[in-house]
Amino acid sequence: VEINDSGNVVIAWDAPTTGDAATGYEIFWGETSGSLTSLGTISATTVEITNIEYSTTYYWMIVPENVGGSATGCTEWSFTSEEAPPPPSNDDCDGAISLTVNSDYSCAVVTAGTTLGATASSQSDDVTGTPNTDVWFSFVATETSHKVTITDVVNQGGGTSTSTDMGMGVYDASGGCDGLVFVDDSDPNTLDLTGLTVSNTYLVRVYGWFDSVQQNNFNI
């Protein structure tokens, strides 16, 4: 058993060397010992299982089959997935990381971010996609128009999705984290903002767009 780069469980086994040759293998899987669910029958001697949660014990059993029926007395195995990583420092609105406002759109100065270990915030889900792994950044407007860009997105595995599709929302933070005023959002990784108030502080909420858990590193 191993965890691959996508955070999925890969189980491999040897074909039986005694008795009749196996024509297939029924895979049983679950979180409760002695009460496993069949995932179906395959002909290969390896299987990949997705949607693995952190800090969870899983049980499985491989049952060889042939034209005469299925094996009996097969062993149930188990493993416990790794603990969840700690959330990033800007997991919540009040921990927003300050961004450098570049003097032009070449954006020579970027800030690194990650959704690894991030959790959903208490703020309303009022943006495109599902902000269940949102992290927060802030900037002070120096012009009435600004461009926010997310680049270099790399999935870190360990979640329930390998997608690198990101979403973002921008808020006027003059009223603090409990009084955010929605400004704009974007699923594409570039957002052109207009109508901003110079010297106001704005918050950028960045997250994996899907409702799955996307653990991505990125620059903003």
Side-chain angles (χ1 to χ4, degrees):
V1 177
E2 66 177 10
I3 305 295
N4 63 17
D5 292 339
S6 298
N8 299 330
V9 169
V10 177
I11 303 173
W13 59 92
D14 295 327
T17 56
T18 59
D20 295 331
T23 57
Y25 303 90
E26 187 170 9
I27 314 301
F28 291 87
W29 177 265
E31 296 181 29
T32 303
S33 176
S35 182
L36 308 184
T37 299
S38 174
L39 301 183
T41 300
I42 62 175
S43 58
T45 56
T46 182
V47 63
E48 182 175 354
I49 299 176
T50 60
N51 298 324
I52 303 302
E53 301 290 342
Y54 285 112
S55 303
T56 302
T57 298
Y58 292 99
Y59 301 86
W60 79 92
M61 184 167 60
I62 309 298
V63 179
E65 295 184 341
N66 56 39
V67 293
S70 298
T72 59
C74 297
T75 301
E76 180 183 275
W77 302 85
S78 68
F79 85 101
T80 300
S81 57
E82 64 182 10
E83 295 182 0
S89 62
N90 59 337
D91 187 39
D92 295 317
C93 173
D94 55 10
I97 294 174
S98 178
L99 298 172
T100 298
V101 176
N102 288 272
S103 59
D104 56 51
Y105 283 165
S106 66
C107 293
V109 179
V110 300
T111 297
T114 185
T115 59
L116 181 66
T119 60
S121 299
S122 61
Q123 281 70 24
S124 298
D125 181 357
D126 54 3
V127 289
T128 177
T130 305
N132 61 338
T133 57
D134 55 1
V135 290
W136 298 80
F137 301 87
S138 68
F139 71 92
V140 177
T142 58
E143 303 285 348
T144 58
S145 298
H146 281 285
K147 182 191 297 287
V148 182
T149 304
I150 300 171
T151 63
D152 306 315
V153 183
V154 179
N155 189 277
Q156 302 302 296
T160 59
S161 171
T162 58
S163 172
T164 55
D165 187 7
M166 306 294 286
M168 67 174 119
V170 174
Y171 304 83
D172 188 318
S174 300
C177 286
D178 292 330
L180 297 180
V181 177
F182 178 80
V183 174
D184 204 353
D185 61 1
S186 179
D187 178 13
N189 288 352
T190 296
L191 176 57
D192 289 304
L193 299 167
T194 59
L196 304 182
T197 300
V198 175
S199 298
N200 273 16
T201 297
Y202 293 86
L203 292 180
V204 185
R205 184 184 198 176
V206 179
Y207 49 92
W209 189 85
F210 292 102
D211 59 4
S212 51
V213 178
Q214 299 163 244
Q215 302 194 136
N216 295 332
N217 287 353
F218 58 90
N219 288 325
I220 180 169

